[in-house]
Amino acid sequence: MTLRLFNTLSGQLDDLVPSDGKALRMYACGPTVYDFGHIGNFRTFLAVDILRRFLLLTGTKVRHVMNITDVDDKIIRNATAAGISIGAYTAPFELAFLEDLEALKVQRPEQLARATEHIPKMVELIQKLAAAGAAYQTEDGSWYFRLAAFPEYGKLSKKDLSGMEDGARVDVDEYEKDSARDFALWKAAKPGETSWDTAIGRGRPGWHIECSAMAMEYLGESFDLHAGGEDLMFPHHENEIAQSESVTHKTFARHWMHVRFLLVDGRKMSKSEGNFYTLRDLLLKGYKASAIRMALISVPYRHQLNFTFDGLIEATNAIERLRTFSQRLKTGNYAPGENPALQEAAKKAQADYLAALSNDLNTAEARAPIFDLVRAANTAIDQGQLLAGDRDAILSVLASFDKVFDVIQDSDAEPTRKAIEWAVQAGREADVAPELVGRESLTDEAIDALVAERTLAKRQRNFSRADQIRNELAEKGIILEDSKDGVRWKRK
Ligand code: AMP
Ligand code: ZN
């Protein structure tokens, strides 16, 4: 099954297939590790995760590279203020980023690339640009890209840049939205700032050059797909194209994927607006990592998504429905055989699910047939019409759904436990929701042991002890369900 994905460069849906016939080579712009990421950032990383997982599910290998921007204006400013090296400043934020990815079940790219570890590659690229007449050095020793040397500038964002001023320059990493100017490739060292001594002088890289240099280092001069949030289309991605194609004269990335923003009350969620939540903020309020994942992926990536707490509750309930159903299927006793109507329903759900994802990763449409199937199967179970062969067919649809959505398999306890641990260390105990306190201290094994003790107490007709255990567990958010197949427990 071939994925039809919107391509910003061509302005239409294009087939996304590995051009070398082997693996899909893709580059996604990663975080600037100057602070904790907010869930807007993670919406973009999750959208790329959905892409990646769909490719893997449908049998396409991927080679996925993501950069970590560990040097930029903000990092230098903050590290200087804190009186520490940029490495010491960024390390905890990089670690937090990777932990947050794990909590949200975003698969790790095959290659993570830190900007500070690829300075020689960037210098080499700037030298090639200079040789091609596309880069020049200013009096202070900085290097700039000459926009006039790349007539195709603007082909990705389709901006009308006819009013572009020749030779006007910009050197900050935070950009004005609509001005196209010669941009910094290399910034000459300033006293007290981190810098590298190189063949093009002492200084540090501009932001854009890192992605060109690292993408080509790991994926070659021309590769399949480049992704990032919609704000990166201009100027960052436009600049990446200019820097790369001026040297190689080959198409840098054939396919460009841009993820629309996560909004809060109609405005972009961002650090500068102050309207943001980090993953940790939400975990500490008692929302589960799976619900945050589900809420962020359920609106297709090309639509803006408005963040609301109602949305998180809807996602929580949707996951609960799937998990309860999956448990019901796995633990029930079903007579042998197959019910043709359910077999047909399972086949149709699977086909509709894959078709929706292959149509520009339409996650909203992909969810719907799965929930329809759950409804039909629940009714069939109630009426005694679901047979063992149907159970297997439906479980395999759920497994395929979870290969991309990854919310049914419950591993929510760990991210919450880690967030609480982090809050305690960071002196933010006050932010931990009261209902979480004490709950995560019980391991699965400890709960199993208490449940077994309760079963024994009941068998010995020691009902007061049995009730005491049930109540103790309830206080810690553990709910027991007695069924004919024994006792099941779950975390609230
Ligand atoms: P940064 O760490 O600021 O470089 O951003 C990391 C990624 O998050 C980039 O791909 C941004 O485009 C993306 N991003 C930033 N804010 C949002 C938002 N509100 N919604 C979706 N993506 C965002
Ligand atoms: Zn980039």
Side-chain angles (χ1 to χ4, degrees), residues 334-385:
Y334 303 104
E338 291 181 353
N339 172 339
L342 283 179
Q343 291 291 322
E344 194 48 43
K347 249 192 231 128
K348 181 170 180 337
Q350 175 72 10
D352 290 353
Y353 158 71
L354 290 176
L357 286 180
S358 72
N359 179 19
D360 206 17
L361 302 173
N362 193 327
T363 43
E365 272 183 22
R367 257 180 66 154
I370 303 299
F371 283 90
D372 290 346
L373 180 65
V374 170
R375 205 169 308 119
N378 266 326
T379 311
I381 299 177
D382 294 342
Q383 299 171 345
Q385 289 173 357

Side-chain angles (χ1 to χ4, degrees), residues 27-30 67 69 207-208 210-212 226-227 232 236-237 240:
Y27 185 93
C29 291
N67 65 302
T69 302
W207 169 35
H208 314 294
E210 71 174 87
C211 286
S212 288
H226 197 312
L232 300 189
H236 181 55
H237 289 160
E240 282 189 47

Side-chain angles (χ1 to χ4, degrees), residues 203-221:
R204 62 181 171 100
W207 169 35
H208 314 294
I209 196 75
E210 71 174 87
C211 286
S212 288
M214 296 194 291
M216 292 197 283
E217 164 76 1
Y218 292 106
L219 299 174
E221 292 182 342

Side-chain angles (χ1 to χ4, degrees), residues 198-258:
T198 74
I200 56 169
R202 181 170 264 289
R204 62 181 171 100
W207 169 35
H208 314 294
I209 196 75
E210 71 174 87
C211 286
S212 288
M214 296 194 291
M216 292 197 283
E217 164 76 1
Y218 292 106
L219 299 174
E221 292 182 342
S222 193
F223 54 93
D224 297 311
L225 175 110
H226 197 312
E230 61 174 317
D231 55 333
L232 300 189
M233 188 195 306
F234 180 87
H236 181 55
H237 289 160
E238 206 74 76
N239 292 355
E240 282 189 47
I241 292 174
Q243 293 165 153
S244 311
E245 297 188 0
S246 295
V247 167
T248 66
H249 304 288
K250 292 182 190 153
T251 302
F252 176 52
R254 275 177 285 279
H255 212 117
W256 289 81
M257 173 191 188
H258 290 105

Side-chain angles (χ1 to χ4, degrees), residues 14-42:
D14 287 335
D15 287 355
L16 184 66
V17 284
S19 54
D20 66 1
K22 288 187 242 155
L24 195 110
R25 285 166 297 148
M26 55 189 259
Y27 185 93
C29 291
T32 305
V33 283
Y34 74 103
D35 203 341
F36 294 102
H38 58 66
I39 56 165
N41 302 133
F42 286 106

